[in-house]
Amino acid sequence: MTDKERDTFLKFLRDLKVKKKDYSTFEESLGILQNYAATKGLIDEDIDLLADIIINTELGILDYQLIDKKVINIYYSVFFYMMLKKERLERHIARIIYVLTKPEDVTRRDVSRLLNLHQKYSKPRKHIIVLLSLFKSYKPELVPEKIQSINTESVWKPIPEILRLMLQDAKSRLEIQQTQDLHSECFNWNVFEFMKTKKTVAPLLPPVGYFQIGSNIFKEKDTKSIFEISSTEELGKLHLSVELPCNAISLLSNIAGYHLLTFADFHYQSRFSYNLYNTLIRAFILENEKFSTEEINKLLDITIEFSQYMQQDILVVNRFLDEYLYFNTGEYQSKLLVLLQWMTSVSISDLQEKILVHVQNMFYESTLSMKCEIIRTLKMLITNLFVSQAFEECSHKTPAPFLGQGAVDNLEEAIPILTKTSKTLIVSGLNIHSYDILLLSEALSFYEEICILENRSTVMSFTLAPPAVIYGGFITKHCAILSKICKLLLRYRNRSLQLKNRKVQKLYKKKFNIISIYAQDIVEALWYDEPFKKRSNMYFLRNVPTRVMEDLKHCNLNCLLNIGNHYAILPYKCILNKTGLSINTREAAMSVALYYYPTVSEFLDIFQN
């Protein structure tokens, strides 16, 4: 039976390789192959045949652009590792690497690995020489001169002609489909049409319709109905002559409607706002039980999409959120948070009383994942404020197209209020959840983004991460978090160096001092083995009682957080030690850091001097 199964899948593979035919038994043959491989394994000859088919198909798909090359490039390092470890697939995977490699992919480390692999064989392997030759053409300083160029056709055969024709057919079909999609109607004006609504209840979002009194004679001759618009090109040409429907809220059906609403006249936008507010109140407060979750979610989705399209908030939505969240913060949280992040035109008092109060209540009632989402919301709200008002290229005096809305009263006051509230929530969340890595990562992302925004903006502000984030990240078991902490402190240092104005330096003197303390604390721990010796001059571990320190003396605490023994670094050290590489000194550990976690190395280079 086993031989029969092997004969079946071998015939299947050979047919795939050389014949162009429909496979009525494709699934069955593939199942036999999978079962045989899982139970008995494949011999080298069979693996070679299967790999050849897979690689040729993948290369053909890349050549004919049937898949975005970026998708395959994501797995470049995986392919490289597999080539080094899977000898039987080495030649085939090398071909993919040859096609995917870009100049920036060539590193000293990968060249060394290839050279070691090359020396492993008594007889030179052409596919390795081809890769080294390619690497040499990109970065000649990394590859020995003795590596000669070689013709790729002598290493790998071209894609079989029959497969090339099949891929060409697929490419032609794709182009035809793309052309059809481009010219097909793309605007659906009745998004609630197929949703279940009680017969006695008016739908949340009415269908697009016109109500006309009198004869068509009195209509403008060049007026167009929105049903005549089927593409964005037509929308651009005709939007000034489009007759808007009577039910303004029905324009929330699609992106064409968003565009028409954004640039409609003030009276039409006011009517839309009135209708939207009543619809939201009706759906969430007055008649909530009459509508399905699907309908309410859809209403929120299209409202969010409209704000995102305009890149601004909707005043009546802000009012609705204040009224709804006062009584209910538990339902539809994720979608309501997305709406909150667009509230960029509120006053300072409203910011404190109608946004942050509700956000704080939601935070303390929420789960860990929702706390992370709330921190992301605050980050996006601050980002939207900066982007809309705090960059030089922003037009601060030009009102927004929708209802002519202006900017927040005083951005210089709003940013500190938001960052202070965020800091309180982050520190509380870290304490509540015992410095969970997800929340810690989200907090770091928050402060990284704020630092980037402040560095680019015209607003004078300098926000620092609190000690809970800096030191919580430092003692983590994750090297990525440790690297992020070092990167953040490097950003702070660069920003402080840019603020050379004497008046500004005096204003931020305390913050500069805090940055120095942060950096000194971490350098003392990573490099000088002194995190527990000078606690009176530091933030780190200052509040640990002396009695506790005395009890822990036998643990040699001062060495546990250095660059050779830190929790986050031990996995790297362990793996490298297994390869025979001895890492027993600070200098050796620093060399490892240079290649595996370079941000930590850069941090120590700069701050230890």
Side-chain angles (χ1 to χ4, degrees), residues 526-527 562-565 569 573 576 582-597 600-601 604:
L526 279 177
W527 193 252
N562 67 24
I563 195 169
N565 296 318
I569 290 166
K573 184 177 178 181
L576 291 172
S582 178
I583 308 170
N584 297 321
T585 64
R586 286 187 306 181
E587 289 71 21
M590 191 68 165
S591 297
V592 172
L594 181 63
Y595 287 98
Y596 289 93
Y597 27 95
V600 177
S601 173
L604 288 173

Side-chain angles (χ1 to χ4, degrees), residues 201-388:
V201 179
L204 275 178
L205 191 67
V208 173
Y210 292 95
F211 182 75
Q212 181 180 331
I213 299 176
S215 171
N216 286 334
I217 297 174
F218 300 102
K219 288 182 62 176
E220 295 287 341
K221 291 185 178 180
D222 60 346
T223 299
K224 302 290 184 181
S225 162
I226 60 174
F227 297 112
E228 298 178 53
I229 300 174
S230 60
S231 67
T232 52
E233 289 81 3
E234 291 181 5
L235 178 63
K237 295 175 183 177
L238 304 174
H239 82 276
L240 293 177
S241 57
V242 171
E243 181 184 5
L244 299 178
C246 301
N247 294 316
I249 195 174
S250 64
L251 285 177
L252 287 180
S253 299
N254 53 50
I255 194 171
Y258 304 156
H259 179 82
L260 293 171
L261 277 171
T262 303
F263 297 100
D265 61 63
F266 181 83
H267 296 291
Y268 194 85
Q269 290 176 345
S270 299
R271 176 150 47 105
F272 162 79
S273 298
Y274 176 80
N275 291 339
L276 178 60
Y277 175 75
N278 287 334
T279 301
L280 289 167
I281 292 296
R282 181 179 167 218
F284 284 87
I285 299 176
L286 298 180
E287 301 178 357
N288 178 256
E289 71 285 349
K290 294 183 179 180
F291 303 103
S292 66
T293 303
E294 182 188 10
E295 289 177 287
I296 293 176
N297 276 318
K298 185 62 179 179
L299 176 61
L300 284 175
D301 287 339
I302 58 180
T303 306
I304 290 168
E305 288 172 8
F306 184 41
S307 276
Q308 290 173 337
Y309 180 83
M310 296 191 299
Q311 296 288 288
Q312 69 173 89
D313 55 346
I314 307 169
L315 293 178
V316 294
V317 173
N318 298 350
R319 179 180 174 184
F320 155 73
L321 287 173
D322 178 45
E323 294 176 8
Y324 179 70
L325 293 176
Y326 187 82
F327 298 101
N328 190 331
T329 58
E331 294 183 87
Y332 308 101
Q333 274 192 356
S334 294
K335 296 183 188 297
L336 296 176
L337 285 172
V338 178
L339 286 172
L340 281 171
Q341 71 191 29
W342 287 105
M343 296 178 72
T344 55
S345 60
V346 295
S347 64
I348 297 297
S349 59
D350 285 348
L351 177 66
Q352 294 175 297
E353 298 170 10
K354 297 183 179 180
I355 298 181
L356 298 182
V357 169
H358 300 312
V359 169
Q360 288 172 311
N361 291 337
M362 292 170 71
F363 188 87
Y364 291 117
E365 295 172 356
S366 63
T367 61
L368 172 63
S369 60
M370 186 54 65
K371 283 184 172 68
C372 292
E373 199 166 335
I374 290 170
I375 298 302
R376 281 196 295 273
T377 296
L378 289 169
K379 179 179 70 175
M380 286 306 303
L381 174 58
I382 295 172
T383 301
N384 289 334
L385 283 168
F386 269 102
V387 170
S388 62

Side-chain angles (χ1 to χ4, degrees), residues 353-552:
E353 298 170 10
K354 297 183 179 180
I355 298 181
L356 298 182
V357 169
H358 300 312
V359 169
Q360 288 172 311
N361 291 337
M362 292 170 71
F363 188 87
Y364 291 117
E365 295 172 356
S366 63
T367 61
L368 172 63
S369 60
M370 186 54 65
K371 283 184 172 68
C372 292
E373 199 166 335
I374 290 170
I375 298 302
R376 281 196 295 273
T377 296
L378 289 169
K379 179 179 70 175
M380 286 306 303
L381 174 58
I382 295 172
T383 301
N384 289 334
L385 283 168
F386 269 102
V387 170
S388 62
Q389 301 173 48
F391 294 159
E392 289 183 357
E393 55 266 42
C394 298
S395 180
H396 306 289
K397 297 180 180 179
T398 304
F402 188 78
L403 292 176
Q405 291 173 211
V408 68
D409 289 350
N410 191 333
L411 189 62
E412 286 80 1
E413 291 182 28
I415 296 301
I417 291 171
L418 284 166
T419 53
K420 183 178 179 181
T421 301
S422 302
K423 172 185 172 181
T424 302
L425 296 181
I426 286 170
V427 173
S428 299
L430 290 173
N431 287 323
I432 291 169
H433 294 283
S434 303
Y435 284 77
D436 185 272
I437 190 65
L438 293 177
L439 190 58
L440 187 57
S441 178
E442 202 61 58
L444 271 172
S445 176
F446 175 88
Y447 285 105
E448 286 172 342
E449 185 73 15
I450 300 303
C451 184
I452 293 169
L453 292 169
E454 289 179 334
N455 195 42
R456 186 183 168 188
S457 77
T458 56
V459 175
M460 285 304 300
S461 63
F462 197 167
T463 304
L464 297 182
V469 173
I470 297 296
Y471 298 124
F474 173 63
I475 62 174
T476 183
K477 297 179 182 179
H478 300 268
C479 195
I481 297 295
L482 176 61
S483 294
K484 277 191 166 189
I485 289 294
C486 293
K487 185 66 176 179
L488 184 59
L489 291 176
L490 288 170
R491 289 184 191 275
Y492 288 158
R493 177 182 178 273
N494 291 338
R495 177 152 168 74
S496 64
L497 293 176
Q498 291 172 6
L499 300 173
K500 297 179 180 179
N501 184 290
R502 183 175 297 179
K503 185 177 179 181
V504 174
Q505 288 190 337
K506 186 177 180 181
L507 178 65
Y508 292 134
K509 183 178 179 180
K510 184 177 179 181
K511 292 184 182 290
F512 295 160
N513 185 49
I514 292 173
I515 295 170
S516 298
I517 293 174
Y518 284 163
Q520 181 186 354
D521 286 353
I522 293 177
V523 170
E524 295 284 354
L526 279 177
W527 193 252
Y528 294 110
D529 299 348
E530 295 182 344
F532 298 93
K533 291 181 181 178
K534 301 178 181 179
R535 293 189 299 135
S536 60
N537 302 325
M538 305 157 67
Y539 284 169
F540 187 42
L541 305 173
R542 178 189 291 179
N543 296 323
V544 179
T546 304
R547 178 176 54 81
V548 174
M549 301 303 302
E550 292 292 330
D551 291 342
L552 295 175

Side-chain angles (χ1 to χ4, degrees), residues 71-268:
V71 175
I72 303 295
N73 267 324
I74 294 172
Y75 302 99
Y76 179 87
S77 58
V78 177
F79 285 132
F80 202 97
Y81 180 81
M82 288 176 62
M83 180 186 69
L84 297 173
K85 297 297 181 182
K86 306 289 185 182
E87 184 176 343
R88 290 189 293 183
L89 299 176
E90 188 181 288
R91 180 173 65 87
H92 302 288
I93 298 176
R95 190 174 185 182
I96 295 181
I97 293 172
Y98 185 88
V99 172
L100 294 179
T101 299
K102 305 184 296 296
E104 58 267 28
D105 294 326
V106 180
T107 63
R108 188 180 302 276
R109 179 184 176 193
D110 285 348
V111 171
S112 299
R113 286 175 164 181
L114 272 183
L115 289 171
N116 290 335
L117 187 63
H118 183 53
Q119 294 169 1
K120 173 182 170 183
Y121 300 108
S122 56
K123 184 179 179 181
R125 298 291 180 100
K126 289 184 178 181
H127 56 273
I128 300 177
I129 297 174
V130 167
L131 283 181
L132 286 169
S133 176
L134 176 68
F135 285 11
K136 185 178 178 181
S137 68
Y138 287 149
K139 293 187 179 179
E141 70 276 10
L142 300 182
V143 183
E145 291 185 8
K146 64 181 181 180
I147 300 297
Q148 300 297 320
S149 298
I150 187 171
N151 189 350
T152 57
E153 292 185 1
S154 66
V155 183
W156 301 298
K157 295 179 181 178
I159 296 174
E161 179 65 13
I162 199 69
L163 177 60
R164 189 190 67 78
L165 292 173
M166 293 170 67
L167 291 167
Q168 190 171 345
D169 286 346
K171 176 68 173 176
S172 300
R173 292 195 302 271
L174 178 63
E175 290 174 348
I176 292 170
Q177 183 62 49
Q178 289 173 339
T179 303
Q180 290 175 345
D181 291 344
L182 187 64
H183 293 93
S184 63
E185 292 190 359
C186 55
F187 296 135
N188 174 23
W189 292 104
N190 295 306
V191 295
F192 276 90
E193 184 178 357
F194 301 105
M195 292 188 178
K196 294 182 179 179
T197 306
K198 295 179 181 178
K199 293 182 179 180
T200 57
V201 179
L204 275 178
L205 191 67
V208 173
Y210 292 95
F211 182 75
Q212 181 180 331
I213 299 176
S215 171
N216 286 334
I217 297 174
F218 300 102
K219 288 182 62 176
E220 295 287 341
K221 291 185 178 180
D222 60 346
T223 299
K224 302 290 184 181
S225 162
I226 60 174
F227 297 112
E228 298 178 53
I229 300 174
S230 60
S231 67
T232 52
E233 289 81 3
E234 291 181 5
L235 178 63
K237 295 175 183 177
L238 304 174
H239 82 276
L240 293 177
S241 57
V242 171
E243 181 184 5
L244 299 178
C246 301
N247 294 316
I249 195 174
S250 64
L251 285 177
L252 287 180
S253 299
N254 53 50
I255 194 171
Y258 304 156
H259 179 82
L260 293 171
L261 277 171
T262 303
F263 297 100
D265 61 63
F266 181 83
H267 296 291
Y268 194 85

